[in-house]
């Protein structure tokens, strides 16, 4: 288990109105973003307020940062870590129009593609490199709107208004694991497969968005890449998930000038972001031992992503921020949210388990091999003891060996079984030992004889 500190990144959107920038400094070395708040009542602040607010980030991606920079800084290491078996989550948080979708999915051109397509390229390059591992990669893509979850990869949704979409159902098993019914899972075998699914989901999301419901700014999207890997040499399986979350716009309702049904929906979304914030505050309190209960169940999004927030997960927040002065309050509030997240720490570990099917297969092979070895060794000992040699076979061996030893011509042994071979060899050994004894006795006799002759001579 390793301690993981939540990472927070600021991504500054290029100015839309260059004449009206907010005042800010980026201290690159210290990774600090300093935002200046003018002492001006039109910004809704009283005069004795603080003028400069400082926010520390893991890294700050300024207005000039490219989509490639964002991938290299935020996405690359995390996606590789997920391929090693760690869970990961990237949240894009910020007000509507600040660049969440641009950061996660990207713009229409290949050059401006976002984190998700780039992560697919990196994953499948890595799958090719890791030749000792087999990978299975799966994708799900869901949208949470008005506290209901919907499958963005259900093709039938492209022809139906959102009101008629099938809702995702959530249930918990006996072990506390969450299951999502009506969410389709798609296997991805190449970079292109993954990008196609992303485009399909974004298309379905887009066609469901009418000017009346404006769902896209008030819904959360969760694109999940699930990994399963096996080492050729072992029966250990590693599984992990990478959630890529494009959150609903974080702007407060008072500024949006909306009413009626849409106001109700906006409240829902605001509420779910408020619950997200409450979960983060509660997790921070838990770290300080001042609280134990974490209110994940208050919203669908925090329920589904509870592991990403307080569990075994490397979580990253990208705070997308406008640099225009008239967006100052929202930019400040986004930076404050990121600051709260940056204090969180999680215990993370690789998710691995033994594949029981593979283990059984290997044990069966080992068992068969041992049985073969055992059969061979008992065959050997049976042959050595020659228990099954019949009396007539034994007699035949004796005769043949005797004839062979007495005869100087070519040997004519008729041996048809292994038992007979062993018996004959035994007889040869016995004959050699007898001859040896005989020679020893003869040598002894000769030595005695020589000694006697020498003594006679001396006398
Ligand atoms: P959000 O999803 O937060 O509502 P979008 O990602 O849709 O916002 O961005 C709104 C507009 O701003 C889009 O046209 C997008 O292309 C543009 N945009 C956002 N961030 C950037 C950026 N960093 N660089 C260039 N254009 C951006
Ligand atoms: Mg968006």
């Amino acid at each position: 288990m390793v301690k993981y500190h939540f990472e927070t990144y600021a991504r500054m959107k290029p100015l839309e109105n260059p004449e009206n920038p907010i005042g800010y400094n980026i201290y690159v070395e210290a990774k600090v973003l300093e935002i200046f708040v003018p002492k001006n009542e039109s910004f809704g602040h009283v005069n004795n307020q603080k003028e400069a607010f400082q926010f520390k980030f893991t890294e700050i991606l300024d207005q000039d940062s490219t989509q490639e920079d964002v991938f290299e800084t935020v996405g690359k290491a995390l996606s590789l870590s997920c391929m090693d078996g760690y869970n990961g989550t990237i949240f894009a948080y910020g007000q509507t129009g600040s660049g969440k979708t641009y950061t996660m999915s990207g713009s229409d051109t290949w050059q401006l593609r976002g984190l998700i397509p780039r992560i697919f390229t990196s994953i499948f390059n890595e799958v090719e490199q890791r030749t000792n591992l087999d990978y299975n990669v799966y994708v799900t893509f869901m949208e949470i709107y008005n506290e209901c979850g919907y499958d963005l990869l259900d093709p039938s949704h492209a022809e139906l208004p959102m009101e008629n979409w099938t809702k995702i159902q959530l249930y918990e098993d006996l072990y506390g694991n969450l299951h999502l019914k009506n969410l389709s899972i798609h296997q991805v075998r190449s970079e292109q497969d993954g990008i196609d699914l992303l485009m399909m989901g974004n298309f379905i999301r887009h066609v469901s968005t009418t000017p009346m419901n404006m769902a896209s700014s008030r819904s959360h999207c969760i694109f999940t890449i699930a990994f399963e890997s096996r080492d050729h040499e072992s029966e250990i399986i590693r599984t992990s998930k990478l959630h890529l979350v494009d959150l609903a716009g974080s702007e407060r309702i008072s500024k949006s000038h909306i009413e009626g049904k849409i106001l109700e929906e906006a409240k829902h979304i605001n509420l779910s972001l408020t619950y997200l914030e409450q979960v983060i505050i509660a997790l921070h309190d838990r770290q300080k031992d001042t609280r134990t209960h974490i209110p994940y169940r208050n919203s669908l999004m925090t329920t589904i992503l509870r592991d990403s927030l307080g569990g075994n997960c490397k979580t990253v927040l990208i705070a997308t921020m406008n640099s225009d002065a008239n967006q100052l309050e929202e930019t400040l509030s986004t930076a404050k949210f990121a600051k709260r997240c940056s204090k969180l720490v999680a215990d993370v570990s690789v998710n691995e388990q033994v594949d029981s099917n593979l283990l059984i297969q290997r044990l069966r092979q080992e068992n068969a091999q041992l049985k073969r070895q055992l059969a061979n060794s008992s065959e050997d000992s049976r042959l050595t003891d020659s228990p099954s040699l019949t009396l007539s076979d034994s007699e035949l061996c004796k005769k043949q060996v005797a004839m062979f030893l007495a005869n100087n011509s070519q040997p004519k042994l008729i041996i048809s079984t292994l038992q007979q071979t062993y018996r004959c060899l035994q007889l040869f050994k016995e004959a050699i030992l007898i001859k040896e004894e005989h020679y020893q006795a003869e040598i002894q006799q000769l030595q005695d004889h020589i000694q006697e002759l020498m003594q006679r001579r001396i006398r």
Side-chain angles (χ1 to χ4, degrees):
M1 197 129 6
V2 200
K3 286 264 176 252
Y4 172 83
H5 292 260
F6 274 39
E7 293 183 355
T8 53
Y9 296 87
R11 185 173 199 198
M12 309 304 292
K13 185 183 166 184
L15 264 177
E16 271 168 17
N17 178 5
E19 274 140 47
N20 195 18
I22 58 165
Y24 70 85
N25 278 326
I26 296 175
Y27 297 102
V28 180
E29 287 282 297
K31 293 159 184 161
V32 166
L33 173 71
E34 185 175 52
I35 301 176
F36 300 105
V37 180
K39 288 184 177 179
N40 181 335
E41 278 180 31
S42 67
F43 284 99
H45 298 279
V46 284
N47 266 354
N48 60 358
Q49 67 178 88
K50 223 168 134 181
E51 262 205 311
F53 291 80
Q54 293 198 334
F55 302 95
K56 187 162 171 60
F57 287 90
T58 308
E59 209 71 62
I60 299 168
L61 297 144
D62 68 12
Q63 295 188 35
D64 300 326
S65 61
T66 62
Q67 296 284 67
E68 176 66 13
D69 294 335
V70 177
F71 167 71
E72 287 291 329
T73 317
V74 187
K76 193 173 179 180
L78 185 65
S79 57
L80 293 183
S81 181
C82 291
M83 289 185 78
D84 292 334
Y86 288 100
N87 292 328
T89 299
I90 302 179
F91 283 107
Y93 181 99
Q95 71 178 120
T96 298
S98 60
K100 298 181 296 294
T101 306
Y102 179 78
T103 299
M104 300 303 269
S105 296
S107 205
D108 293 339
T109 63
W110 180 247
Q111 172 95 26
L112 296 179
R113 68 199 186 281
L115 267 175
I116 300 174
R118 287 170 201 269
I119 284 174
F120 276 120
T121 312
S122 162
I123 288 172
F124 285 99
N125 281 342
E126 197 62 22
V127 166
E128 295 227 327
Q129 302 290 315
R130 300 186 182 188
T131 47
N132 59 324
L133 296 168
D134 278 337
Y135 274 97
N136 287 323
V137 182
Y138 304 92
V139 157
T140 60
F141 196 3
M142 72 181 290
E143 179 166 23
I144 299 176
Y145 180 62
N146 264 352
E147 278 305 287
C148 295
Y150 302 98
D151 186 358
L152 282 175
L153 297 178
D154 181 338
S156 73
H157 289 171
E159 282 124 40
L160 293 171
M162 204 177 194
E163 295 77 48
N164 298 348
W165 288 7
T166 320
K167 286 180 185 158
I168 291 172
Q169 282 165 13
L170 193 88
Y171 62 96
E172 201 169 324
D173 66 19
L174 287 172
Y175 306 101
N177 300 315
L178 283 180
H179 299 274
L180 302 172
K181 203 175 151 205
N182 300 331
L183 179 66
S184 56
I185 302 173
H186 302 256
Q187 184 157 16
V188 174
R189 293 192 168 81
S190 67
E191 168 194 9
Q192 195 54 50
D193 276 2
I195 295 171
D196 287 349
L197 288 171
L198 173 70
M199 283 167 66
M200 173 177 159
N202 280 340
F203 173 75
I204 290 178
R205 187 187 190 198
H206 182 72
V207 293
S208 75
T209 308
T210 62
M212 264 308 283
N213 71 23
M214 288 288 287
S216 85
S217 69
R218 294 200 302 281
S219 67
H220 310 293
C221 277
I222 308 176
F223 189 94
T224 303
I225 308 175
F227 300 93
E228 188 184 80
S229 69
R230 292 153 205 269
D231 192 318
H232 296 167
E233 301 291 307
S234 82
E235 49 284 328
I236 304 273
I237 305 188
R238 288 184 171 177
T239 50
S240 56
K241 280 185 181 166
L242 173 58
H243 297 298
L244 300 146
V245 189
D246 184 347
L247 289 170
S250 61
E251 58 276 7
R252 273 161 287 173
I253 330 172
S254 58
K255 285 197 107 189
S256 315
H257 310 296
I258 50 172
E259 51 194 30
K261 183 177 168 235
I262 298 176
L263 175 66
E264 282 312 302
E265 289 168 1
K267 274 186 188 162
H268 252 312
I269 296 308
N270 267 258
L271 216 53
S272 99
L273 286 173
T274 306
Y275 288 137
L276 174 65
E277 199 156 349
Q278 282 177 3
V279 164
I280 284 160
I281 292 168
L283 285 166
H284 190 224
D285 288 347
R286 188 174 71 179
Q287 272 167 219
K288 295 187 291 183
D289 286 335
T290 56
R291 190 199 296 227
T292 49
H293 176 69
I294 311 294
Y296 294 116
R297 285 169 191 262
N298 283 350
S299 80
L300 186 61
M301 193 246 301
T302 50
T303 307
I304 291 176
L305 295 174
R306 67 179 183 194
D307 276 351
S308 308
L309 296 162
N312 176 17
C313 186
K314 295 187 175 184
T315 304
V316 167
L317 181 91
I318 306 179
T320 54
M321 291 186 271
N322 271 307
S323 319
D324 291 56
N326 58 354
Q327 305 295 339
L328 175 63
E329 279 195 62
E330 292 302 339
T331 297
L332 262 181
S333 125
T334 300
K336 282 180 190 164
F337 179 79
K339 190 172 180 173
R340 265 184 218 121
C341 293
S342 68
K343 294 188 180 131
L344 298 182
V345 181
D347 289 320
V348 296
S349 59
V350 166
N351 306 297
E352 54 183 21
Q353 67 207 58
V354 174
D355 180 340
S356 48
N357 285 339
L358 266 182
L359 185 65
I360 290 169
Q361 198 182 329
R362 188 177 61 76
L363 289 176
R364 278 204 178 124
Q365 278 171 357
E366 260 179 37
N367 192 22
Q369 199 182 349
L370 285 172
K371 273 185 180 162
R372 274 200 302 276
Q373 279 176 7
L374 198 66
N376 286 343
S377 70
S378 60
E379 176 81 349
D380 284 353
S381 62
R382 201 159 57 81
L383 290 174
T384 324
D385 300 343
S386 305
S388 61
L389 203 66
T390 61
L391 209 60
S392 60
D393 273 350
S394 184
E395 280 307 312
L396 184 71
C397 289
K398 261 189 198 168
K399 268 189 200 160
Q400 290 198 88
V401 171
M403 276 167 64
F404 177 73
L405 291 174
N407 212 333
N408 286 333
S409 61
Q410 276 295 314
K412 270 191 191 152
L413 285 169
I414 303 162
I415 295 171
S416 50
T417 66
L418 267 173
Q419 283 94 334
Q420 288 175 349
T421 315
Y422 271 99
R423 185 67 192 127
C424 290
L425 287 169
Q426 245 172 2
L427 291 167
F428 281 123
K429 192 174 172 185
E430 278 167 21
I432 290 166
L433 288 175
I434 290 169
K435 273 263 184 254
E436 222 174 43
E437 263 177 46
H438 177 75
Y439 285 134
Q440 288 292 344
E442 269 186 4
I443 289 167
Q444 191 60 49
Q445 262 181 12
L446 274 170
Q447 278 176 346
D448 291 348
H449 186 62
I450 290 166
Q451 216 165 9
E452 201 184 300
L453 282 176
M454 282 175 67
Q455 277 173 357
R456 263 193 224 155
R457 242 176 132 176
I458 294 166
R459 274 189 234 125

